[in-house]
Amino acid sequence: MPHDELRALQEERLRATVERVYYEVPFYRRALQERGLGPHEIRSLSLGDLTKLPFTTKEDLRDNYPYGLFAVPLSEVVRLHASSGTTGKPTVVGYTRQDLDIWAEVMARALTCCGTTKHSMIHNAYGYGLFTGGLGVHYGAERIGASVIPVSGGHTKRQVMIMKDFGSTILTCTPSYALYIAEVMEEMGISKEDLRLKGGLFGAEPWSENMRTQIEARLGLTALDVYGISEIIGPGVAVECPAKQGLHIFEDHFLPEIIDPETGEQLPPGTPGELVITTITKQALPLLRYRTRDITALIPGPCPCGRTHVRMERIKGRTDDMLVIRGVNVFPSQIEEVLFRISHTEPHYLIIVERREQLDELEVWVEVSESVFSDEVKKLERLEYQIAREIQDILGISVRVKLVEPRTIERSEGKAKRVVDRRQL
């Protein structure tokens, strides 16, 4: 879609969304009135009207648990999803039939980017249930007309058998689980040539370019990043195209901004900050300027693929995942980038943070292969030193590195747990 047409569509949809939440959601009516805004005062994105709107946070959803931010009566809600609620009340997301249609549409676009057609066999290892991953992929695949195997997570040997016997061509799961599948394949004596995989969509956790290289080499497919967040719609907010130069945000449904997470000020393209999204077509749970806590940057300029939707960089981490070690901001993805470019290490690691005598200490456990672990002590010490030095070059702080035997670090069938923070803050 030409940029001028897209901008006109966005403004029309934004005005309709603001008007609807003003009249239908008391929380937003109060927030807008506190800013002196009525239902018809948002007119132009080019005039910066978006920044006049209030932010919405996860705490706002929890404060209005479970249905306080819904803009439609429950009789029009045909689906509910929710977060795990591990850090408090879960955030509840409602969908009307139109919301589900939009979700299917954006996920169909995402799956098409990784080569899905009506002839594809999609092995969907995202979890089904309150988590949005499984059903999001499912709807998109069915919209295309592809065949879906709703295998969900777990029973990895059976998954490998199904992929081989059913002829799966597209794999969808978290990137850490994709690597675990590759590891189990190797244990079972099944090679990538025994499968028919061609493409994969991987998301729900931050991952690195080097992790992509590992997945593509071990599974024999093209691996693309997909981004989503349950509060917005689930997977399908943005996706990489085959150019692999950033994720296209589906701007006809989601308005993106990047802000300084400390000041809330909007940042220009190219500057990293917190991703904020305003939904402009959602009916059941429309959100104004939702603070995702995900750290990224918008990429200026056109994409080689020709798509006109703006791109964002791969998610670097979350503001609430960021570790502050001796005054330095540390994201697990920074450590992962180092580990994955050093040979002899396996793609499994654990970051342990402790506080001793008021000083934060960072230790990284790194799995190495059986052949390396049984090597002479001096070689292991050299490898530990190399890893520690390269991490220190990136972070600017010293770390301890501990090489561990294969399978010491627990595997994940969903999102990988990378950090153990033992500090009493």
Side-chain angles (χ1 to χ4, degrees):
M1 179 181 290
H3 187 264
D4 290 345
E5 289 182 28
L6 175 61
R7 178 56 63 97
L9 180 65
Q10 290 173 323
E11 291 178 342
E12 176 189 338
R13 290 177 168 179
L14 177 63
R15 287 193 290 269
T17 297
V18 172
E19 182 177 349
R20 187 164 67 252
V21 299
Y22 185 92
Y23 288 117
E24 303 296 340
V25 185
F27 166 83
Y28 278 126
R29 183 163 58 251
R30 287 194 299 274
L32 291 166
Q33 287 175 342
E34 286 171 2
R35 289 173 167 250
L37 295 174
H40 307 296
E41 295 184 42
I42 301 300
R43 301 190 179 280
S44 172
L45 290 170
S46 59
L47 295 177
D49 281 2
L50 188 61
T51 59
K52 297 177 181 176
L53 298 174
F55 288 118
T56 310
T57 66
K58 179 165 279 194
E59 289 69 33
D60 293 326
L61 270 72
R62 287 174 172 156
D63 290 345
N64 290 277
Y65 173 86
Y67 310 132
L69 293 187
F70 282 15
V72 299
L74 281 176
S75 59
E76 295 183 27
V77 173
V78 298
R79 171 70 56 76
L80 292 170
H81 284 277
S83 67
S84 60
T86 51
T87 57
K89 286 281 190 182
T91 53
V92 180
V93 184
Y95 300 77
T96 64
R97 290 196 185 282
Q98 180 176 306
D99 292 335
L100 292 182
D101 282 344
I102 291 170
W103 197 10
E105 175 192 324
V106 294
M107 273 309 300
R109 295 181 193 175
L111 287 162
T112 300
C113 280
C114 78
T116 303
T117 69
K118 63 179 295 184
H119 303 293
S120 298
M121 183 70 70
I122 297 181
H123 188 95
N124 186 16
Y126 279 116
Y128 283 68
L130 286 177
F131 175 62
T132 52
L135 283 169
V137 172
H138 196 111
Y139 289 135
E142 289 188 340
R143 176 65 61 91
I144 294 171
S147 302
V148 190
I149 307 170
V151 68
S152 195
H155 304 286
T156 307
K157 287 186 177 179
R158 188 182 67 166
Q159 298 224 16
V160 173
M161 179 193 73
I162 288 173
M163 282 197 294
K164 181 172 182 289
D165 294 348
F166 290 16
S168 304
T169 56
I170 304 290
L171 173 63
T172 57
C173 61
T174 61
S176 56
Y177 191 53
L179 282 175
Y180 183 45
I181 289 174
E183 187 175 280
V184 172
M185 281 171 52
E186 289 155 10
E187 290 173 358
M188 295 170 67
I190 293 177
S191 72
K192 61 186 179 185
E193 287 77 20
D194 293 324
L195 305 182
R196 296 173 56 193
L197 290 174
K198 295 178 179 176
L201 274 188
F202 306 104
E205 62 185 10
W207 55 305
S208 65
E209 192 61 33
N210 289 324
M211 198 168 181
R212 186 211 304 272
T213 302
Q214 290 250 358
I215 292 171
E216 291 187 335
R218 296 171 72 174
L219 291 175
L221 49 70
T222 298
L224 299 182
D225 195 359
V226 63
Y227 174 77
I229 182 167
S230 296
E231 291 82 357
I232 297 300
I233 202 166
V237 174
V239 70
E240 277 184 317
C241 63
K244 300 178 182 175
Q245 296 182 22
L247 291 86
H248 291 276
I249 302 173
F250 295 129
E251 293 180 278
D252 49 338
H253 296 290
F254 315 111
L255 279 183
E257 303 170 75
I258 301 296
I259 66 164
D260 182 320
E262 298 296 327
T263 67
E265 294 296 317
Q266 199 177 72
L267 299 173
T271 305
E274 181 182 347
L275 177 64
V276 171
I277 294 176
T278 298
T279 67
I280 52 176
T281 52
K282 285 280 294 294
Q283 289 187 327
L285 184 64
L287 294 178
L288 302 181
R289 306 190 79 196
Y290 184 71
R291 297 188 60 162
T292 66
R293 302 182 183 177
D294 291 321
I295 301 297
T296 183
L298 297 182
I299 301 172
C303 179
C305 77
R307 289 175 174 81
T308 55
H309 285 177
V310 71
R311 291 170 293 155
M312 69 178 194
E313 294 178 356
R314 183 190 294 275
I315 297 296
K316 184 178 181 181
R318 289 176 56 80
T319 56
D320 49 358
D321 283 346
M322 184 181 72
L323 299 165
V324 180
I325 311 293
R326 290 171 241 156
V328 176
N329 297 339
V330 175
F331 290 99
S333 57
Q334 292 174 289
I335 295 173
E336 181 180 298
E337 284 283 356
V338 172
L339 297 178
F340 278 32
R341 67 173 180 242
I342 295 177
S343 57
H344 306 304
T345 62
E346 295 291 299
H348 306 289
Y349 64 95
L350 187 65
I351 300 166
I352 299 173
V353 188
E354 295 180 304
R355 177 164 292 175
R356 294 175 182 171
E357 298 179 353
Q358 304 305 310
L359 184 66
D360 292 340
E361 295 188 354
L362 186 63
E363 182 171 86
V364 183
W365 290 14
V366 184
E367 275 194 16
V368 292
S369 64
E370 193 71 58
S371 60
V372 171
F373 198 78
S374 60
D375 220 330
E376 61 184 83
V377 174
K378 282 189 177 179
K379 287 185 180 178
L380 291 174
E381 288 177 344
R382 279 201 296 272
L383 182 56
E384 283 183 346
Y385 174 76
Q386 179 192 1
I387 295 171
R389 187 189 59 197
E390 294 199 19
I391 292 176
Q392 182 172 347
D393 287 345
I394 292 291
L395 302 182
I397 58 174
S398 60
V399 300
R400 287 196 310 272
V401 172
K402 179 180 178 181
L403 302 182
V404 297
E405 294 179 78
R407 292 195 164 276
T408 299
I409 296 170
E410 184 180 358
R411 302 298 191 257
S412 169
E413 295 175 346
K415 298 181 183 182
K417 182 177 177 59
R418 301 295 196 194
V419 179
V420 176
D421 193 342
R422 295 172 176 163
R423 294 174 294 182
Q424 300 295 319
L425 300 177

